């Protein structure tokens, strides 16, 4: 069994690598910087004694994604679980005055994520087994002025995954959508909030357990499902007046 994890410099992704390796899985790590990915892979191999490998991966290299998937399978055999953990929150204010910045956020979080998932689906569907785990965000559940480029890309990715799940379910391939709330990583560095910020180790364990349990969706921490239920229930005529 082999597990592919993309976005290997993310703490959640790194913890996921250790959690799956502890199960005895071979692990392939992809990150924009191939040397960073190789360092994480070496650490996983030393600690767990499983085969690992790594390579450079860029979410926006759309044309290269099918060849990347082929190279991973060449190195470690058929991919059983693929985790799309990369993401780019960008800078909302900068993006409003500079569409190039907004476009990068849209391309990484939606187009890049959908592109690599299609390449993964193309190898898993004919085999009739495998799992694709897409890390979205609670930000994708409702558009807000403070992060609507990131939020719309993550929301689009969640809809994409819903459709992919509907397609692949009949072919024996699991598609899991993960919607994290606040997790203590680079992305939330310096964040001031009254809502508890989750530990990335716990987040990784919860994602692993949900995937192993055959889940379709996971809010993490789980209370975010309730928070977003309330946020989504606010009528638009009220919501548009709020500053969220
Ligand atoms: N932390 C939270 O509170 C939170 C909440 C909701 C959702 N999420 C999601 O959780 C996932 C993990 O994020 P994190 O919190 O661990 O944040 P992070 O440390 O900022 O990780 C983001 C990862 O995405 C990678 N990445 C960015 N652009 C990329 C590109 N073009 N190609 C390939 N990789 C790229 C980064 O690589 P580099 O090192 O090269 O930049 C990094 O590995 C993301 O999908 C994020 O959107 C996080």
């Amino acid at each position: 069994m082999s597990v592919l994890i993309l976005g290997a410099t993310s703490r959640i992704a790194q913890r996921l690598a250790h959690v799956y390796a502890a199960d005895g899985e071979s692990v392939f790590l992809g990150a924009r910087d191939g040397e960073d990915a190789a360092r994480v892979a070496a650490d996983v191999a030393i600690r767990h004694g499983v085969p690992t490998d790594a390579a450079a991966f860029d979410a926006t290299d759309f044309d290269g994604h099918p060849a990347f998937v082929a190279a991973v399978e060449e190195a470690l055999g058929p991919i059983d679980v693929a985790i799309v953990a990369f993401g780019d929150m960008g800078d909302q204010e900068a993006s409003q005055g500079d569409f190039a910045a907004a476009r990068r956020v849209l391309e990484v979080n939606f187009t890049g994520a959908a592109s690599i998932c299609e390449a993964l689906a193309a190898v898993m569907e004919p085999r009739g087994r495998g799992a694709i785990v897409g890390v979205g965000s609670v930000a994708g559940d409702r558009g807000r002025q403070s992060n609507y480029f990131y939020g719309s890309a993550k929301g689009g990715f969640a809809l994409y995954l819903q459709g992919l799940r509907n397609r692949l379910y009949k072919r024996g391939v699991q598609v899991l959508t993960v919607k994290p709330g606040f997790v203590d990583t680079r992305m939330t560095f310096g964040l001031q909030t009254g809502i508890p910020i989750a530990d990335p180790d716990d987040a990784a364990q919860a994602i692993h357990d949900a995937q192993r349990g055959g889940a379709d969706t996971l809010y993490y921490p789980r209370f975010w499902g309730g928070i977003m239920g309330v946020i989504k229930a606010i009528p638009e005529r009220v919501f548009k007046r709020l500053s969220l």
Side-chain angles (χ1 to χ4, degrees):
M1 297 273 280
S2 72
V3 179
L4 167 65
I5 302 175
L6 299 170
T9 54
S10 140
R11 274 195 66 197
I12 299 172
Q14 288 175 16
R15 292 314 307 164
L16 277 163
H18 286 281
V19 171
Y20 276 95
D23 287 348
E25 307 287 9
S26 308
V27 176
F28 195 107
L29 290 150
R32 271 197 292 195
D33 184 330
E35 287 181 13
D36 279 346
R39 266 192 291 279
V40 179
D43 185 41
V44 171
I46 289 166
R47 284 183 202 226
H48 302 281
V50 295
T52 66
D53 207 339
F57 169 83
D58 194 312
T60 57
D61 177 21
F62 314 122
D63 293 344
H65 289 169
F68 178 85
V69 168
V72 173
E73 298 217 322
E74 179 83 27
L76 289 183
I79 299 165
D80 294 291
V81 180
I83 305 176
V84 177
F86 58 80
D88 182 345
M89 195 155 69
D91 177 331
Q92 175 67 29
E93 272 187 37
S95 297
Q96 285 169 208
D98 170 14
F99 194 73
R103 179 178 165 175
R104 193 194 72 231
V105 170
L106 298 171
E107 289 191 343
V108 171
N109 295 293
F110 179 72
T111 316
S115 168
I116 189 65
C117 285
E118 284 301 295
L120 290 160
V123 297
M124 290 181 180
E125 186 174 30
R127 244 178 241 147
R129 68 185 167 88
I132 296 172
V133 179
V135 181
S137 171
V138 294
D141 276 6
R142 187 146 195 183
R144 290 183 292 127
Q145 64 180 9
S146 58
N147 70 354
Y148 63 81
F149 290 114
Y150 175 71
S152 61
K154 287 293 197 183
F157 184 41
L159 277 183
Y160 164 82
L161 290 170
Q162 205 168 39
L164 186 68
R165 178 180 309 116
N166 194 213
R167 165 185 155 197
L168 295 181
Y169 172 72
K170 296 120 187 144
R171 308 304 305 261
V173 178
Q174 178 194 6
V175 177
L176 167 63
T177 308
V178 179
K179 295 184 178 183
F182 298 137
V183 183
D184 185 11
T185 67
R186 235 183 336 165
M187 202 172 264
T188 49
F189 181 73
L191 177 75
Q192 303 291 329
T193 169
I195 301 174
I197 300 181
D199 185 283
D201 290 18
D202 297 342
Q205 189 67 49
I207 293 168
H208 163 276
D209 294 351
Q211 186 275 311
R212 292 296 201 210
D216 297 321
T217 57
L218 170 71
Y219 279 95
Y220 190 81
R222 287 183 188 275
F223 64 75
W224 276 96
I227 293 179
M228 295 319 295
V230 171
I231 301 253
K232 283 190 288 187
I234 299 172
E236 195 61 22
R237 66 180 180 282
V238 175
F239 200 80
K240 71 184 179 188
R241 294 181 163 82
L242 305 177
S243 297
L244 290 170

